[in-house]
Amino acid sequence: MQHEAHTEHEHHAHQEHEGHGGHEGHEGHTGGHTHHGDAHAHHGHGGGKVSWSMAAQATLHCLTGCAIGEILGMIVGTALGWGNMPTMVLAIVLAFFFGYSLTLRGITKAEVDFRTAFKVALAADTLSIAVMELIDNGVIALWPAAMDATLAQALFWGSLAISLALAFVITTPVNKWMIGRGKGHAVVHQYHH
C-alpha cells in the first residue's frame, strides 16, 4: 500500500512538473514561483488539513459579531417602533459592523496598520457574515409571527436563537472550505503568529 501511495505521489508530482514546462528553467521556477506552490497546497490538498474545530472557531468568531449586531439592531428597531424592514436592515448593518470589528480588533493587536487590517477583515469575514445573515434573517422572515414578536415574547428570543444556531451549522462548512483554500480566516491567522 505504501509503495502504491508513493508511486501515485510521484506520478502527481511528475504531472505538476510537466505542467510547468519540464525541467528547463527549473531554477527560475523555484525562485520566482514559490508563492504559486503555496497556493497550490491550499487549493489542492489544503482542505484535508483544516479541522472542523478550526472552522467552527472561525464561525463562532463571526457568529459572535453577528449576534451582537442582530440583537442590538432588533432591540433598537423594536424599541423605536420601526417596521420589520428597517429593523432588519439595521440588524444586518450592525451584524457586519460588529463582525468586522471583532476581526479588526484581533489584527490591529498584531501592530498592523488600519488600512491593511480592514482589507484583511473584509477578505476574511464578508462571505461568512453574508451566509450567516442570509440564513439567520431568512429563518426569521419565514417563521410565522417571528417578525412581529416583541422583545418581551419568548418567540422573539426563541426564533433568534434557532436562526443563529442554524446559521452557525450552515456557515461552518463554508468557512472550512475557505480556510482550506487559504482564504477567509486563514488570512487572519497569519497575523496571530
Side-chain angles (χ1 to χ4, degrees), residues 2 9 15 22 36 44 47 49 60 69 74 110 112 137 159 161 170 177 180:
Q2 286 179 347
H9 177 71
Q15 281 182 333
H36 175 74
K49 296 176 185 174
L60 191 59
M74 296 288 189
V112 177
N137 288 288
S159 62
I170 293 169
W177 177 79

Side-chain angles (χ1 to χ4, degrees), residues 103 105-107 110 185 187-193:
T103 299
R105 193 173 131 242
I107 298 169
H185 273 256
V187 181
V188 175
H189 287 300
Q190 296 172 18
Y191 296 93
H192 288 290
H193 299 299

